[in-house]
Amino acid sequence: MRLKHAADRLPNRLARLKSAVSFETVFIAAFVTLVFFTGGAAAQAPTGGTGGATTGWETILDNLYNVLYITLQYVGLTVLVLGFIVWLTARNNSQRSETGMKLTMGGGAMVVAYFGLGALVSLLEFIAG
């Protein structure tokens, strides 16, 4: 009796595993794409020397800001679109619909944080003079 019960649950578990693997594959592909397209741009910084270029900590903070800003932009939009796709293609699967809704909310929050970060840094630059 226990073996029959376990055999009945196996297709459900395999279906959940398949959906989880496909989601993780899409997530990893999006992350690798992000690293590939933004890696070179985010790593560039002005060099020291003539012309009053930034030095030391300012360069590190500028690089960190650029990486964070680009990451919020691309990952936020990617997660937002992926969340809409998962949410709208869920049909009768409530778990997938919930996952899509969470992804959409998270992507939307990242897009809002992207614009908020720009406004915050502009305000701090204005205050600093």
Side-chain angles (χ1 to χ4, degrees), residues 21-102:
V21 169
S22 64
F23 174 73
E24 290 172 353
T25 304
V26 170
F27 180 75
I28 290 171
F31 181 73
V32 168
T33 303
L34 173 76
V35 169
F36 179 71
F37 284 117
T38 62
Q44 294 176 0
T47 58
T50 62
T54 58
T55 59
W57 288 104
E58 293 174 359
T59 303
I60 293 171
L61 291 175
D62 190 43
N63 284 343
L64 183 64
Y65 168 75
N66 287 335
V67 168
L68 181 63
Y69 203 63
I70 291 170
T71 301
L72 280 174
Q73 179 183 9
Y74 288 112
V75 172
L77 290 175
T78 304
V79 170
L80 185 67
V81 169
L82 183 65
F84 273 128
I85 291 171
V86 170
W87 191 11
L88 296 174
T89 60
R91 294 190 183 169
N92 293 333
N93 189 345
S94 63
Q95 184 178 3
R96 186 170 174 175
S97 175
E98 183 179 346
T99 302
M101 187 170 44
K102 287 179 182 177

